[in-house]
Amino acid sequence: RGEQEYALWTGLFAGALLLSKYTGILLPVSLGLYIILYRRSLFANRYLYLAVILCIAVFSPVIYWNYLHDFISFKFQIGHGVAQEKVFHPNEFFKFSGAQLLLFHPLYLLPLFYFIVRDREIFSRKKMFLLIPFLFTLGFFIYFAAFKKANAQWALPAYLSATILLAYYLAQRNAAKLIVAAGIMTALALLLIKTPAGDVIPAVKNFKSRAVKIDHFDKEIKSLHIDIDSYDYILIDDYHGTDVAYYFKKYDNVLVVTPERFSNFNIWRYEDLNISMASPLVSLPKLGKCLYAGISDLHLYELNQLFGKGKVLLFEKKMIGSREISFYLVEYHN
């Protein structure tokens, strides 16, 4: 009875996982590989199939939505992560692989691989239950990173089971010194991030400039005495800027100007404002008083063509890491 309940709970949470992130499919697939290799007897258990059905049922709203929208988010996800041409890019490959050391911690990830290689019982059923999701998920993203730029955090699901496996090895070997060393290294890294000392390292400086983006924007808005609530719409370059608009509680009044990287904002602007999902802005309905907050000279030109010349509230050169950008706050009346 216990295994039957676990099977149903697994199906339920696997469906919830897919609702959260499409790449979550890698964990159920890893579980399937484990069953094929070590628990083939489960294929005779009807609860395995009930778990699969339950998973699909939980995920079915997303499937249905995609069916109504020509499977657009599935297509985007595949096109976003999979290279059309398999041309090896060593720079992206090593950048992604090296970033995994920072993501999980170099004093944890490297020893983990060492422990795995040295473990004579690594192929035991219990250890493979943890090892397969780790290696399969990490290997999946490292493979695709060889051909196309991949974000380091995409591989984070791999470290769910890796953390448990590492904890087992550390406890078995009483590796207190390793844990202390990792803690000291983490403290030093936080010190670099939290103090000006880290600005001498380009990667740290870039991270800090991005992390405080909203706080800086808030100060600029207040220093200019801009009343955000007086604007009917906030116009931004792409969906990355929506965090700024949401910070100012403009939940339903955000217009993403560019269709460059497709997101649900493109669908909303089509459904709410009848603006094309796939082409640059060529016309706009009456939006009232708008504030453009962005860095694109092209978007500024397009908006000036649509609205007439706007009132420039702020034009400032900014350094984002090692990159200089032009930042605009421009008011329009439509």
Side-chain angles (χ1 to χ4, degrees):
R1 180 177 174 80
E3 286 191 351
Q4 295 169 357
E5 291 181 355
Y6 283 137
L8 296 180
W9 280 113
T10 299
L12 177 65
F13 285 114
L17 175 64
L18 294 179
L19 289 177
S20 174
K21 194 74 173 175
Y22 289 168
T23 50
I25 188 66
L26 296 174
L27 294 182
V29 169
S30 299
L31 181 58
L33 289 175
Y34 170 78
I35 292 173
I36 292 172
L37 293 173
Y38 288 90
R39 297 292 302 276
R40 285 187 290 272
S41 61
L42 289 177
F43 286 112
N45 190 324
R46 62 191 176 96
Y47 279 89
L48 174 63
Y49 303 99
L50 288 175
V52 173
I53 293 172
L54 183 58
C55 174
I56 295 173
V58 172
F59 188 57
S60 61
V62 174
I63 299 174
Y64 180 66
W65 183 92
N66 272 275
Y67 169 75
L68 295 178
H69 294 85
D70 194 30
F71 297 97
I72 195 165
S73 69
F74 291 159
K75 291 177 181 178
F76 169 78
Q77 194 65 40
I78 294 172
H80 176 54
V82 180
Q84 297 298 319
E85 297 181 4
K86 294 295 187 289
V87 179
F88 180 59
H89 295 283
N91 183 48
E92 295 298 336
F93 174 78
F94 289 112
K95 184 189 296 184
F96 180 86
S97 301
Q100 300 311 305
L101 290 173
L102 299 177
L103 198 64
F104 191 63
H105 203 296
L107 292 185
Y108 286 150
L109 188 58
L110 293 177
L112 176 59
F113 280 116
Y114 172 79
F115 295 147
I116 290 171
V117 171
R118 298 280 295 181
D119 189 350
R120 295 180 180 179
E121 299 178 352
I122 189 59
F123 293 106
S124 67
R125 196 170 76 176
K126 290 183 178 180
K127 290 178 181 176
M128 289 302 291
F129 180 76
L130 297 172
L131 185 62
I132 289 175
F134 168 47
L135 293 183
F136 177 76
T137 305
L138 183 61
F140 176 89
F141 286 111
I142 287 179
Y143 170 77
F144 284 107
F147 308 110
K148 189 174 182 179
K149 181 180 179 180
N151 294 330
Q153 69 271 17
W154 291 354
L156 275 174
Y159 301 117
L160 295 173
S161 60
T163 301
I164 301 172
L165 193 59
L166 175 65
Y168 164 79
Y169 285 128
L170 293 178
Q172 286 291 104
R173 295 169 181 265
N174 194 24
K177 291 182 179 179
L178 178 61
I179 296 173
V180 171
I184 293 173
M185 186 175 179
T186 302
L188 290 174
L190 290 174
L191 187 65
L192 289 174
I193 293 173
K194 289 291 187 179
T195 65
D199 292 345
V200 298
I201 304 174
V204 174
K205 185 177 181 180
N206 185 48
F207 171 79
K208 290 169 68 174
S209 65
R210 291 175 180 271
V212 298
K213 176 179 65 174
I214 290 181
D215 290 337
H216 285 176
F217 186 69
D218 190 17
K219 292 177 182 177
E220 288 167 347
I221 291 290
K222 290 178 179 177
S223 67
L224 293 169
H225 304 289
I226 295 175
D227 181 12
I228 286 290
D229 293 332
S230 68
Y231 291 96
D232 298 301
Y233 273 86
I234 302 294
L235 311 177
I236 55 178
D237 291 321
D238 56 44
Y239 84 101
H240 287 292
T242 55
D243 52 356
V244 173
Y246 272 46
Y247 179 81
F248 290 102
K249 300 181 180 179
K250 290 289 183 180
Y251 307 113
D252 300 320
N253 302 83
V254 181
L255 178 59
V256 176
V257 177
T258 177
E260 180 179 339
R261 179 175 176 182
F262 189 86
S263 74
N264 210 63
F265 287 94
N266 300 74
I267 295 174
W268 289 334
R269 78 179 194 176
Y270 174 73
E271 293 177 345
D272 297 342
L273 302 171
N274 198 31
I275 298 173
S276 170
M277 289 191 291
S279 62
L281 294 178
V282 292
S283 64
L284 282 175
K286 296 295 182 180
L287 299 179
K289 186 180 178 183
C290 304
L291 177 68
Y292 169 67
I295 62 173
S296 172
D297 294 322
L298 175 60
H299 293 159
L300 196 63
Y301 171 79
E302 291 176 345
L303 291 171
N304 284 337
Q305 294 297 308
L306 291 170
F307 290 132
K309 191 171 180 61
K311 178 183 178 182
V312 179
L313 304 179
L314 176 70
F315 169 68
E316 184 180 352
K317 296 286 187 179
K318 289 177 172 287
M319 292 299 298
I320 303 297
S322 58
R323 178 187 173 202
E324 184 181 66
I325 63 169
S326 299
F327 180 73
Y328 300 95
L329 286 175
V330 183
E331 181 180 297
Y332 292 98
H333 292 270
N334 169 243

mmCIF file of all heavy atoms in Angstrom, residues 274-303:
data_model
loop_
_atom_site.group_PDB
_atom_site.id
_atom_site.type_symbol
_atom_site.label_atom_id
_atom_site.label_comp_id
_atom_site.label_asym_id
_atom_site.label_seq_id
_atom_site.Cartn_x
_atom_site.Cartn_y
_atom_site.Cartn_z
ATOM 1 N N ASN A 274 -5.121 44.241 -29.449
ATOM 2 C CA ASN A 274 -5.157 43.887 -30.867
ATOM 3 C C ASN A 274 -3.883 44.315 -31.593
ATOM 4 O O ASN A 274 -3.910 44.778 -32.733
ATOM 5 C CB ASN A 274 -6.381 44.499 -31.557
ATOM 6 C CG ASN A 274 -6.684 43.820 -32.883
ATOM 7 O OD1 ASN A 274 -6.412 42.626 -33.047
ATOM 8 N ND2 ASN A 274 -7.227 44.566 -33.825
ATOM 9 N N ILE A 275 -2.749 44.160 -30.906
ATOM 10 C CA ILE A 275 -1.444 44.465 -31.496
ATOM 11 C C ILE A 275 -0.803 43.154 -31.920
ATOM 12 O O ILE A 275 -0.797 42.180 -31.171
ATOM 13 C CB ILE A 275 -0.537 45.190 -30.486
ATOM 14 C CG1 ILE A 275 -1.166 46.530 -30.093
ATOM 15 C CG2 ILE A 275 0.849 45.416 -31.061
ATOM 16 C CD1 ILE A 275 -0.427 47.231 -28.985
ATOM 17 N N SER A 276 -0.251 43.120 -33.104
ATOM 18 C CA SER A 276 0.330 41.895 -33.647
ATOM 19 C C SER A 276 1.329 41.269 -32.681
ATOM 20 O O SER A 276 2.112 41.960 -32.030
ATOM 21 C CB SER A 276 1.025 42.198 -34.976
ATOM 22 O OG SER A 276 1.779 41.085 -35.402
ATOM 23 N N MET A 277 1.299 39.929 -32.616
ATOM 24 C CA MET A 277 2.217 39.213 -31.731
ATOM 25 C C MET A 277 3.606 39.095 -32.332
ATOM 26 O O MET A 277 4.585 38.951 -31.622
ATOM 27 C CB MET A 277 1.679 37.807 -31.440
ATOM 28 C CG MET A 277 0.465 37.774 -30.551
ATOM 29 S SD MET A 277 0.074 36.094 -30.008
ATOM 30 C CE MET A 277 -0.458 35.351 -31.542
ATOM 31 N N ALA A 278 3.708 39.120 -33.655
ATOM 32 C CA ALA A 278 4.956 38.708 -34.292
ATOM 33 C C ALA A 278 5.683 39.812 -35.044
ATOM 34 O O ALA A 278 6.709 39.562 -35.644
ATOM 35 C CB ALA A 278 4.671 37.556 -35.253
ATOM 36 N N SER A 279 5.172 41.034 -35.055
ATOM 37 C CA SER A 279 5.825 42.080 -35.831
ATOM 38 C C SER A 279 6.075 43.312 -34.971
ATOM 39 O O SER A 279 5.417 43.503 -33.947
ATOM 40 C CB SER A 279 4.952 42.463 -37.031
ATOM 41 O OG SER A 279 3.711 42.974 -36.586
ATOM 42 N N PRO A 280 7.025 44.162 -35.370
ATOM 43 C CA PRO A 280 7.267 45.403 -34.610
ATOM 44 C C PRO A 280 6.028 46.284 -34.586
ATOM 45 O O PRO A 280 5.123 46.135 -35.407
ATOM 46 C CB PRO A 280 8.406 46.067 -35.396
ATOM 47 C CG PRO A 280 9.040 44.959 -36.160
ATOM 48 C CD PRO A 280 7.938 44.000 -36.484
ATOM 49 N N LEU A 281 6.010 47.214 -33.664
ATOM 50 C CA LEU A 281 4.857 48.097 -33.532
ATOM 51 C C LEU A 281 4.731 48.997 -34.760
ATOM 52 O O LEU A 281 5.672 49.681 -35.139
ATOM 53 C CB LEU A 281 5.004 48.963 -32.283
ATOM 54 C CG LEU A 281 4.978 48.238 -30.938
ATOM 55 C CD1 LEU A 281 5.189 49.236 -29.814
ATOM 56 C CD2 LEU A 281 3.670 47.502 -30.749
ATOM 57 N N VAL A 282 3.562 48.959 -35.380
ATOM 58 C CA VAL A 282 3.297 49.859 -36.503
ATOM 59 C C VAL A 282 2.086 50.731 -36.213
ATOM 60 O O VAL A 282 1.874 51.742 -36.865
ATOM 61 C CB VAL A 282 3.067 49.068 -37.813
ATOM 62 C CG1 VAL A 282 4.355 48.387 -38.250
ATOM 63 C CG2 VAL A 282 1.950 48.038 -37.649
ATOM 64 N N SER A 283 1.294 50.335 -35.235
ATOM 65 C CA SER A 283 0.151 51.153 -34.833
ATOM 66 C C SER A 283 -0.213 50.811 -33.400
ATOM 67 O O SER A 283 0.065 49.716 -32.927
ATOM 68 C CB SER A 283 -1.053 50.900 -35.748
ATOM 69 O OG SER A 283 -1.497 49.559 -35.610
ATOM 70 N N LEU A 284 -0.812 51.767 -32.729
ATOM 71 C CA LEU A 284 -1.226 51.561 -31.347
ATOM 72 C C LEU A 284 -2.614 52.148 -31.137
ATOM 73 O O LEU A 284 -2.946 53.182 -31.716
ATOM 74 C CB LEU A 284 -0.249 52.240 -30.376
ATOM 75 C CG LEU A 284 1.067 51.534 -30.088
ATOM 76 C CD1 LEU A 284 1.938 52.421 -29.207
ATOM 77 C CD2 LEU A 284 0.831 50.210 -29.390
ATOM 78 N N PRO A 285 -3.420 51.497 -30.314
ATOM 79 C CA PRO A 285 -4.698 52.101 -29.944
ATOM 80 C C PRO A 285 -4.456 53.240 -28.960
ATOM 81 O O PRO A 285 -3.321 53.519 -28.577
ATOM 82 C CB PRO A 285 -5.443 50.940 -29.277
ATOM 83 C CG PRO A 285 -4.351 50.094 -28.710
ATOM 84 C CD PRO A 285 -3.209 50.195 -29.679
ATOM 85 N N LYS A 286 -5.523 53.891 -28.555
ATOM 86 C CA LYS A 286 -5.398 54.961 -27.571
ATOM 87 C C LYS A 286 -5.030 54.370 -26.216
ATOM 88 O O LYS A 286 -5.779 53.590 -25.641
ATOM 89 C CB LYS A 286 -6.708 55.740 -27.467
ATOM 90 C CG LYS A 286 -7.090 56.481 -28.737
ATOM 91 C CD LYS A 286 -6.095 57.586 -29.069
ATOM 92 C CE LYS A 286 -6.528 58.356 -30.311
ATOM 93 N NZ LYS A 286 -5.569 59.430 -30.660
ATOM 94 N N LEU A 287 -3.862 54.733 -25.726
ATOM 95 C CA LEU A 287 -3.382 54.192 -24.456
ATOM 96 C C LEU A 287 -3.390 55.224 -23.342
ATOM 97 O O LEU A 287 -3.207 54.886 -22.183
ATOM 98 C CB LEU A 287 -1.956 53.649 -24.619
ATOM 99 C CG LEU A 287 -1.762 52.515 -25.626
ATOM 100 C CD1 LEU A 287 -0.299 52.115 -25.679
ATOM 101 C CD2 LEU A 287 -2.621 51.318 -25.263
ATOM 102 N N GLY A 288 -3.556 56.491 -23.693
ATOM 103 C CA GLY A 288 -3.531 57.531 -22.673
ATOM 104 C C GLY A 288 -2.119 58.018 -22.405
ATOM 105 O O GLY A 288 -1.300 58.168 -23.315
ATOM 106 N N LYS A 289 -1.816 58.221 -21.156
ATOM 107 C CA LYS A 289 -0.509 58.729 -20.746
ATOM 108 C C LYS A 289 0.434 57.553 -20.490
ATOM 109 O O LYS A 289 0.116 56.656 -19.706
ATOM 110 C CB LYS A 289 -0.663 59.574 -19.481
ATOM 111 C CG LYS A 289 0.605 60.277 -19.020
ATOM 112 C CD LYS A 289 0.318 61.090 -17.763
ATOM 113 C CE LYS A 289 1.570 61.776 -17.237
ATOM 114 N NZ LYS A 289 1.298 62.506 -15.975
ATOM 115 N N CYS A 290 1.584 57.549 -21.168
ATOM 116 C CA CYS A 290 2.502 56.406 -21.102
ATOM 117 C C CYS A 290 3.907 56.859 -20.712
ATOM 118 O O CYS A 290 4.312 57.993 -20.988
ATOM 119 C CB CYS A 290 2.577 55.690 -22.449
ATOM 120 S SG CYS A 290 0.992 55.134 -23.084
ATOM 121 N N LEU A 291 4.638 55.939 -20.100
ATOM 122 C CA LEU A 291 6.036 56.179 -19.753
ATOM 123 C C LEU A 291 6.882 55.069 -20.350
ATOM 124 O O LEU A 291 6.675 53.892 -20.049
ATOM 125 C CB LEU A 291 6.225 56.207 -18.231
ATOM 126 C CG LEU A 291 7.677 56.392 -17.751
ATOM 127 C CD1 LEU A 291 8.171 57.798 -18.098
ATOM 128 C CD2 LEU A 291 7.787 56.147 -16.247
ATOM 129 N N TYR A 292 7.799 55.455 -21.228
ATOM 130 C CA TYR A 292 8.741 54.482 -21.776
ATOM 131 C C TYR A 292 9.975 54.445 -20.886
ATOM 132 O O TYR A 292 10.617 55.469 -20.638
ATOM 133 C CB TYR A 292 9.142 54.853 -23.204
ATOM 134 C CG TYR A 292 10.309 54.038 -23.732
ATOM 135 C CD1 TYR A 292 10.173 52.677 -23.974
ATOM 136 C CD2 TYR A 292 11.549 54.627 -23.967
ATOM 137 C CE1 TYR A 292 11.237 51.923 -24.441
ATOM 138 C CE2 TYR A 292 12.621 53.880 -24.438
ATOM 139 C CZ TYR A 292 12.463 52.528 -24.670
ATOM 140 O OH TYR A 292 13.519 51.779 -25.127
ATOM 141 N N ALA A 293 10.322 53.256 -20.407
ATOM 142 C CA ALA A 293 11.531 53.051 -19.612
ATOM 143 C C ALA A 293 12.350 51.979 -20.310
ATOM 144 O O ALA A 293 12.003 50.800 -20.276
ATOM 145 C CB ALA A 293 11.174 52.620 -18.188
ATOM 146 N N GLY A 294 13.413 52.394 -20.979
ATOM 147 C CA GLY A 294 14.176 51.412 -21.738
ATOM 148 C C GLY A 294 15.514 51.933 -22.208
ATOM 149 O O GLY A 294 15.932 53.044 -21.867
ATOM 150 N N ILE A 295 16.163 51.111 -23.036
ATOM 151 C CA ILE A 295 17.534 51.414 -23.462
ATOM 152 C C ILE A 295 17.693 51.356 -24.979
ATOM 153 O O ILE A 295 18.808 51.399 -25.489
ATOM 154 C CB ILE A 295 18.534 50.419 -22.821
ATOM 155 C CG1 ILE A 295 18.238 48.986 -23.272
ATOM 156 C CG2 ILE A 295 18.510 50.532 -21.304
ATOM 157 C CD1 ILE A 295 19.271 47.966 -22.833
ATOM 158 N N SER A 296 16.577 51.260 -25.705
ATOM 159 C CA SER A 296 16.661 51.044 -27.146
ATOM 160 C C SER A 296 16.425 52.331 -27.927
ATOM 161 O O SER A 296 15.342 52.924 -27.864
ATOM 162 C CB SER A 296 15.645 49.977 -27.577
ATOM 163 O OG SER A 296 15.574 49.889 -28.979
ATOM 164 N N ASP A 297 17.427 52.749 -28.690
ATOM 165 C CA ASP A 297 17.264 53.908 -29.573
ATOM 166 C C ASP A 297 16.221 53.615 -30.651
ATOM 167 O O ASP A 297 15.458 54.498 -31.050
ATOM 168 C CB ASP A 297 18.598 54.264 -30.234
ATOM 169 C CG ASP A 297 19.627 54.762 -29.226
ATOM 170 O OD1 ASP A 297 19.227 55.480 -28.291
ATOM 171 O OD2 ASP A 297 20.812 54.424 -29.367
ATOM 172 N N LEU A 298 16.203 52.360 -31.122
ATOM 173 C CA LEU A 298 15.244 51.978 -32.158
ATOM 174 C C LEU A 298 13.812 52.076 -31.641
ATOM 175 O O LEU A 298 12.933 52.618 -32.319
ATOM 176 C CB LEU A 298 15.530 50.554 -32.639
ATOM 177 C CG LEU A 298 14.523 49.973 -33.647
ATOM 178 C CD1 LEU A 298 14.482 50.824 -34.911
ATOM 179 C CD2 LEU A 298 14.867 48.522 -33.973
ATOM 180 N N HIS A 299 13.572 51.573 -30.437
ATOM 181 C CA HIS A 299 12.224 51.642 -29.876
ATOM 182 C C HIS A 299 11.807 53.093 -29.641
ATOM 183 O O HIS A 299 10.645 53.457 -29.840
ATOM 184 C CB HIS A 299 12.152 50.861 -28.563
ATOM 185 C CG HIS A 299 12.312 49.393 -28.750
ATOM 186 N ND1 HIS A 299 12.697 48.546 -27.735
ATOM 187 C CD2 HIS A 299 12.144 48.612 -29.847
ATOM 188 C CE1 HIS A 299 12.757 47.313 -28.201
ATOM 189 N NE2 HIS A 299 12.430 47.329 -29.467
ATOM 190 N N LEU A 300 12.761 53.899 -29.221
ATOM 191 C CA LEU A 300 12.462 55.318 -29.004
ATOM 192 C C LEU A 300 12.056 55.975 -30.324
ATOM 193 O O LEU A 300 11.095 56.755 -30.377
ATOM 194 C CB LEU A 300 13.690 56.014 -28.415
ATOM 195 C CG LEU A 300 13.456 57.381 -27.777
ATOM 196 C CD1 LEU A 300 12.528 57.266 -26.580
ATOM 197 C CD2 LEU A 300 14.781 57.995 -27.353
ATOM 198 N N TYR A 301 12.761 55.632 -31.388
ATOM 199 C CA TYR A 301 12.432 56.171 -32.710
ATOM 200 C C TYR A 301 11.039 55.715 -33.144
ATOM 201 O O TYR A 301 10.228 56.519 -33.639
ATOM 202 C CB TYR A 301 13.481 55.715 -33.726
ATOM 203 C CG TYR A 301 13.124 56.038 -35.161
ATOM 204 C CD1 TYR A 301 13.304 57.323 -35.673
ATOM 205 C CD2 TYR A 301 12.593 55.050 -35.997
ATOM 206 C CE1 TYR A 301 12.958 57.619 -36.986
ATOM 207 C CE2 TYR A 301 12.249 55.335 -37.304
ATOM 208 C CZ TYR A 301 12.436 56.618 -37.794
ATOM 209 O OH TYR A 301 12.090 56.902 -39.095
ATOM 210 N N GLU A 302 10.742 54.418 -32.960
ATOM 211 C CA GLU A 302 9.436 53.887 -33.361
ATOM 212 C C GLU A 302 8.304 54.538 -32.569
ATOM 213 O O GLU A 302 7.250 54.871 -33.129
ATOM 214 C CB GLU A 302 9.410 52.369 -33.159
ATOM 215 C CG GLU A 302 10.310 51.600 -34.118
ATOM 216 C CD GLU A 302 10.332 50.115 -33.817
ATOM 217 O OE1 GLU A 302 9.890 49.727 -32.705
ATOM 218 O OE2 GLU A 302 10.787 49.343 -34.676
ATOM 219 N N LEU A 303 8.517 54.726 -31.276
ATOM 220 C CA LEU A 303 7.484 55.347 -30.446
ATOM 221 C C LEU A 303 7.274 56.810 -30.831
ATOM 222 O O LEU A 303 6.136 57.307 -30.825
ATOM 223 C CB LEU A 303 7.859 55.231 -28.967
ATOM 224 C CG LEU A 303 7.805 53.817 -28.380
ATOM 225 C CD1 LEU A 303 8.415 53.787 -26.983
ATOM 226 C CD2 LEU A 303 6.369 53.301 -28.331
#
